[in-house]
Amino acid sequence: MDKNKIAISLRKWRGLLIIVMAALLLELLSAAQYYLTHRILDDELEKRAESELTLKAILIKSNLNSIEALLEHSMWKIQAHLDQPDSAYITMRRLVTMSEHLQGAGLGFEPYYYPQKGHFYEVYARRLSNGEVETSQIGGSEHDYTQLDFYKRVVQTGKGLWTEPYMDDAGAKALITTYFQPVRDRKGGVVAVAGVDMSLEWLTDTVDNRHIYPSSFIMVLTEDDVPVLQPFTDRISSDVQQYVYRLITDSTTVARKKSKSGRSTVLHFDTDKRDGTIYYAFMKGQPHWKIAVVCYDDEVFASLRQLRLWMLELMLLAFCILLYVVWRFARGEKKMVSTNRLLAEKTLEEERMNGELRIASGIQQALLPSGASALKDAGEAQVEGRLIPAKAVGGDLYNMFVRDDKLFFCIGDVSGKGVPAALIMAVTQTLFHNVTSSESNPALIMNRLNATACRNNESNMFATLFVGVLDLPTGRLRYCNAGHEVPMLLSEKLRVNSEELSVKPNLPIGLFSDFNYEMQETVMPPGAILFLYTDGLTEARRGYSNNATSQREGQAGSKLFGRKRVREMLEGCGDMSPKQLVDKVIAEVARFSEHTEQSDDLTLLAIKYTPMVEKIVFNEELTLPNDVKEVEKLGVFIKDVTSRLNIGKPLAPKLRLALEEAVVNVMEYAYPAGSMGEVNIRALSDGQRLRLIITDNGIAFNPTQAATADTTLSAEERPVGGLGILLIRQLMDSINYERIDGKNVLTLTKTLNTEINKT
């Protein structure tokens, strides 16, 4: 009896020792995991901060480059009218009206350049608080601009420059930064300096509108540590700003001598008792500014601390469970406890795997666009897409979006199922969106997707794919098929008939990198529906058990849905909406395959072409020969159009500038040198939108695919051309090009309802 008590006591102490050792091991593992996770989050924050700095630097540089481009684009007009002193008033006024972000623009000439104007002649145009532009001559003995540092530097170097932020009391009467450019006469000598003033308040609003974390903020300093942009004071106290400013100034002064970027860890903020980290970098090119982002540790590692707390609670729970296990073991129930523990572990593992699969499924569904969000800017088409994976994740895909009045869409099926196919699906989705952002030929899109899919394809996975581009104004459909199921075309006028789209038997992508895909095209009539699907529809199965129903129907094994049943199901569906059609197909498949587990992913995509019938209230046209000397007539034409449509400032000058750029571009490139041709300009409006349709019968040339100017380069490094199409894209809502009946048709569209009747 005493021996049994001793044995039970030894088992209890041994169990307690095991519990203590297990608790220590769990705590050690938890601490190691916390440390590693902390390092991972810290490294991830650094990468996110670097991305944020790069994004903000690009945003700032883009805004500065747009201001530079406006001045450089107007330089030819300034130099062309140097023989007319008073033209400077018109040019500066026009320059300010070209961008709502300009505070003012000035043009200062060398002393006595115009004898009749005297020693000083500086014309300045300033935007008033009510939006009007005021011009005046501000040069004089009290404001001797020729002695200012920027003027001397521009005249001496002959190059443009950005100034440090300063308070302009003579011209803009605000805190600004200015970009200056030399003005040269026909002999190349510098005779004047032109400058545009940009409001720093606008630049602050642009940059400080999104942050990594709620309390993080951005600061921008000049090369001499003068603040350019500071965070909004209602979110960040001035004491914190000054403290961070001193840290950035001290650390970047040392870092500038060693490298072009740096990192400084802030141990403690005396003002609000919060630890944080500062990341900063130096912007490339002019101006030489530095940008910094500040993040607080309590926000960065909040989720990690919460996770740590949960882990401690779970460890405490596990400790209690272990105590219970030892107690049960001491009472001779070791086998039952062991079985229950194994069952619990298996259940937890299954729940973990199911949770990860649910997360993966949610991510995959998030990659798929919805018809409403994809076509929010287009009223000429209705789209409905649906993906029903056979497992938690699948390999089917579809995508669609609108660019330049064209609907880009695709549907595909990756070989295999599960996670590998889902990964290929995600990569293909991303590639499709990246390629179509600059290419509108379906065959070329397919060739580039195939080349990427074949690269390092050691698993020999491939995908069937159908890519289409629908021109919304004309209904012209260009498409390319890569071994995918043949789409069906339904028509409202033929409600009892549906037909397969004529497609060429191209190979799936991912097989042969040198395969050349061919494009086809057709025209979708108004109201027609293009129905696309994957083989999950035709290969949907119906299984039968050994019961009275199967015996009565005389079926055994399984039966496929089949293409014939698809065609029969679509008869009479031409008048449905895409959503109604997709819902009907899904319901039919569910009814057909009742009590049978889904064996393959099912993806459906329905596109209905519904062009808007515009009630034209204005229709005027003008035909010009391809001679740039005739552009003056174009100015009279567009002025008449804007006047009759009651379009005032600031929209009217933008429309005129965009139309002049587009027409001059056609005159210069559509016809070979020395040949004669015509350019037809037609203005249509329904009262809500204005369409400017430019038609010529010259050589085929798509300006929407022409390379736009790289505004990140300096004027000396940038090649000639590209600024025109960049300017047109900024001024108009959409640009659409089509080659119709041997003619180039370029359509510029601008919505009027937000700016019409403004003066």
Side-chain angles (χ1 to χ4, degrees):
M1 191 68 179
D2 293 335
K3 292 182 178 180
N4 292 334
K5 290 182 178 180
I6 293 174
I8 293 174
S9 178
L10 289 175
R11 285 197 298 268
K12 289 182 178 179
W13 282 107
R14 185 174 60 185
L16 290 175
L17 180 62
I18 293 174
I19 291 175
V20 172
M21 294 297 295
L24 291 175
L25 181 60
L26 287 175
E27 178 61 26
L28 181 62
L29 292 175
S30 176
Q33 184 181 25
Y34 182 87
Y35 172 77
L36 293 176
T37 306
H38 191 283
R39 288 193 59 183
I40 292 173
L41 287 177
D42 193 54
D43 293 341
E44 183 65 22
L45 174 62
E46 184 172 3
K47 294 177 182 179
R48 291 186 62 186
E50 290 176 356
S51 300
E52 180 76 359
L53 291 176
T54 302
L55 177 63
K56 296 299 184 182
I58 292 175
L59 181 61
I60 294 173
K61 198 64 178 176
S62 176
N63 290 329
L64 298 180
N65 287 338
S66 65
I67 299 300
E68 293 181 21
L70 285 177
L71 181 58
E72 292 172 3
H73 185 75
S74 301
M75 192 60 64
W76 69 270
K77 183 166 291 187
I78 297 174
Q79 296 174 346
H81 295 84
L82 286 175
D83 57 339
Q84 302 175 14
D86 292 334
S87 65
Y89 289 90
I90 300 174
T91 305
M92 293 299 101
R93 175 186 291 272
R94 178 177 178 273
L95 189 57
V96 173
T97 59
M98 289 176 66
S99 174
E100 61 184 0
H101 307 306
L102 286 182
Q103 191 71 25
L107 180 60
F109 292 86
E110 284 285 81
Y112 294 108
Y113 181 77
Y114 298 114
Q116 65 274 32
K117 296 296 183 179
H119 184 275
F120 301 103
Y121 185 52
E122 182 182 16
V123 176
Y124 188 85
R126 179 168 67 95
R127 187 189 301 276
L128 302 179
S129 58
N130 59 5
E132 296 182 357
V133 178
E134 175 188 77
T135 58
S136 61
Q137 200 286 114
I138 63 174
S141 57
E142 295 181 357
H143 175 60
D144 187 357
Y145 56 90
T146 62
Q147 298 303 315
L148 297 178
D149 179 67
F150 74 85
Y151 189 95
K152 294 180 179 179
R153 290 173 60 188
V154 173
V155 173
Q156 291 173 359
T157 62
K159 297 181 179 179
L161 63 85
W162 281 94
T163 67
E164 298 279 336
Y166 67 99
M167 183 66 187
D168 184 11
D169 296 322
K173 302 185 187 308
L175 184 62
I176 59 173
T177 181
T178 306
Y179 176 69
F180 293 100
Q181 274 281 88
V183 179
R184 302 179 184 274
D185 58 14
R186 296 182 179 179
K187 296 180 180 180
V190 177
V191 298
V193 174
V196 285
D197 299 332
M198 184 177 67
S199 170
L200 292 181
E201 180 180 355
W202 162 72
L203 195 57
T204 300
D205 295 341
T206 302
V207 174
D208 199 36
N209 62 356
R210 186 179 65 84
H211 307 281
I212 303 178
Y213 296 99
S215 298
S216 61
F217 58 91
I218 298 288
M219 293 189 72
V220 179
L221 308 176
T222 67
E223 189 176 18
D224 297 326
D225 298 322
V226 177
V228 179
L229 306 181
Q230 293 186 351
F232 296 125
T233 55
D234 59 346
R235 191 165 53 84
I236 307 298
S237 66
S238 59
D239 293 338
V240 174
Q241 294 184 41
Q242 292 298 324
Y243 181 67
V244 173
Y245 168 75
R246 291 195 301 272
L247 289 172
I248 296 175
T249 302
D250 296 339
S251 60
T252 55
T253 301
V254 177
R256 189 190 298 113
K257 300 177 181 179
K258 299 180 180 179
S259 62
K260 289 300 181 181
S261 63
R263 171 182 174 182
S264 174
T265 302
V266 181
L267 300 177
H268 192 66
F269 284 164
D270 294 333
T271 54
D272 58 356
K273 309 300 182 182
R274 298 176 72 184
D275 296 339
T277 306
I278 301 175
Y279 299 89
Y280 59 85
F282 296 91
M283 291 175 52
K284 297 180 179 179
Q286 270 201 39
H288 302 295
W289 292 351
K290 50 191 174 186
I291 181 170
V293 58
V294 179
C295 303
Y296 291 105
D297 290 349
D298 55 357
E299 290 182 336
V300 175
F301 303 106
S303 59
L304 180 59
R305 294 191 180 97
Q306 184 64 41
L307 178 62
R308 174 67 170 168
L309 179 61
W310 291 345
M311 291 181 64
L312 290 175
E313 293 174 352
L314 289 176
M315 288 174 59
L316 180 61
L317 178 61
F319 185 80
C320 295
I321 293 174
L322 285 174
L323 282 175
Y324 175 77
V325 170
V326 172
W327 178 72
R328 298 288 291 180
F329 176 78
R331 296 186 57 174
E333 300 180 359
K334 177 180 178 181
K335 184 177 180 180
M336 184 178 66
V337 172
S338 177
T339 303
N340 290 338
R341 186 174 68 240
L342 292 175
L343 180 61
E345 291 176 352
K346 185 177 180 180
T347 302
L348 289 174
E349 179 65 19
E350 290 180 353
E351 290 180 354
R352 184 188 66 81
M353 294 181 62
N354 291 334
E356 291 179 353
L357 288 175
R358 284 194 297 269
I359 293 174
S361 178
I363 294 174
Q364 186 179 43
Q365 291 293 331
L367 292 174
L368 301 173
S370 65
S373 62
L375 301 179
K376 62 181 180 179
D377 296 327
E380 292 86 354
Q382 302 174 11
V383 179
E384 180 69 20
R386 208 79 57 84
L387 189 155
I388 305 175
K391 298 183 178 180
V393 291
D396 281 7
L397 64 102
Y398 71 88
N399 204 339
M400 68 276 192
F401 68 93
V402 173
R403 176 176 65 81
D404 292 336
D405 283 343
K406 290 179 172 61
L407 171 63
F408 294 79
F409 62 91
C410 72
I411 187 171
D413 184 3
V414 180
S415 61
K417 299 178 180 64
V419 175
L423 292 175
I424 301 298
M425 169 266 192
V427 172
T428 306
Q429 283 273 47
T430 304
L431 287 173
F432 172 78
H433 204 279
N434 290 341
V435 173
T436 51
S437 63
S438 59
E439 180 59 62
S440 57
N441 186 316
L444 297 181
I445 295 172
M446 195 73 77
N447 284 331
R448 293 177 62 179
L449 292 175
N450 179 56
T452 304
C454 292
R455 191 179 303 125
N456 299 326
N457 188 10
E458 298 178 357
S459 59
N460 295 321
M461 297 189 71
F462 61 89
T464 65
L465 194 65
F466 184 95
V467 174
V469 179
L470 175 62
D471 185 66
L472 298 176
T474 63
R476 180 187 179 196
L477 173 64
R478 292 174 292 176
Y479 57 92
C480 181
N481 187 51
H484 196 73
E485 295 287 338
V486 179
M488 302 294 295
L489 189 62
L490 294 74
S491 175
E492 284 184 332
K493 296 182 179 179
L494 302 174
R495 295 185 178 180
V496 296
N497 291 316
S498 61
E499 59 182 13
E500 292 184 342
L501 194 67
S502 175
V503 298
K504 295 182 179 180
N506 295 318
L507 292 177
I509 64 172
L511 295 177
F512 301 101
S513 59
D514 58 349
F515 187 82
N516 188 33
Y517 291 88
E518 298 183 53
M519 184 190 76
Q520 297 174 262
E521 65 178 82
T522 186
V523 176
M524 287 185 65
I529 299 178
L530 184 65
F531 179 70
L532 307 99
Y533 56 92
T534 60
D535 57 5
L537 174 60
T538 55
E539 297 180 5
R541 296 179 179 273
R542 175 169 60 189
Y544 293 93
S545 59
N546 188 18
N547 55 22
T549 302
S550 63
Q551 295 175 2
R552 184 168 58 252
E553 296 187 7
Q555 301 287 347
S558 64
K559 185 179 180 181
L560 300 181
F561 195 83
R563 297 177 68 179
K564 180 180 178 182
R565 186 176 274 104
V566 172
R567 289 193 294 269
E568 293 174 352
M569 176 183 58
L570 296 177
E571 295 292 345
C573 296
D575 57 343
M576 289 185 175
S577 68
K579 185 178 185 306
Q580 291 173 335
L581 179 60
V582 170
D583 289 340
K584 176 181 178 180
V585 173
I586 293 176
E588 288 292 328
V589 172
R591 185 186 63 81
F592 172 81
S593 58
E594 187 177 3
H595 306 304
T596 303
E597 183 180 358
Q598 183 179 345
S599 61
D600 198 2
D601 303 331
L602 173 63
T603 302
L604 308 174
L605 182 61
I607 302 172
K608 186 168 187 176
Y609 180 50
T610 55
M612 295 186 299
V613 180
E614 296 182 337
K615 183 179 179 181
I616 303 300
V617 299
F618 184 86
N619 185 355
E620 292 291 338
E621 62 179 308
L622 172 68
T623 300
L624 298 175
N626 63 321
D627 187 352
V628 293
K629 297 180 180 179
E630 300 291 330
V631 175
E632 290 188 9
K633 297 180 181 179
L634 183 64
V636 177
F637 172 75
I638 190 62
K639 183 177 181 181
D640 179 66
V641 170
T642 55
S643 175
R644 292 172 60 184
L645 288 175
N646 197 22
I647 302 174
K649 296 179 181 178
L651 180 55
K654 296 179 181 178
L655 293 175
R656 177 175 181 178
L657 181 59
L659 183 60
E660 287 181 355
E661 289 289 347
V663 172
V664 171
N665 190 54
V666 171
M667 290 180 174
E668 291 180 346
Y669 295 105
Y671 297 97
S675 62
M676 297 300 295
E678 292 183 340
V679 181
N680 179 266
I681 303 97
R682 188 178 183 188
L684 298 174
S685 177
D686 61 353
Q688 300 296 322
R689 293 188 301 176
L690 174 63
R691 294 184 184 271
L692 300 173
I693 305 173
I694 305 169
T695 306
D696 67 87
N697 54 4
I699 60 176
F701 174 70
N702 185 355
T704 64
Q705 292 183 345
T708 56
D710 186 358
T711 56
T712 61
L713 300 177
S714 64
E716 294 80 4
E717 298 173 329
R718 188 184 309 143
V720 178
L723 284 174
I725 189 66
L726 174 63
L727 183 63
I728 295 174
R729 285 191 180 279
Q730 292 177 342
L731 296 178
M732 305 303 290
D733 292 337
S734 67
I735 307 174
N736 183 32
Y737 170 82
E738 285 293 318
R739 182 76 174 177
I740 302 175
D741 297 332
K743 295 182 179 181
N744 297 309
V745 181
L746 181 65
T747 304
L748 312 181
T749 305
K750 186 69 177 179
T751 302
L752 304 179
N753 56 354
T754 59
E755 296 189 66
I756 195 168
N757 297 327
K758 289 185 178 181
T759 58

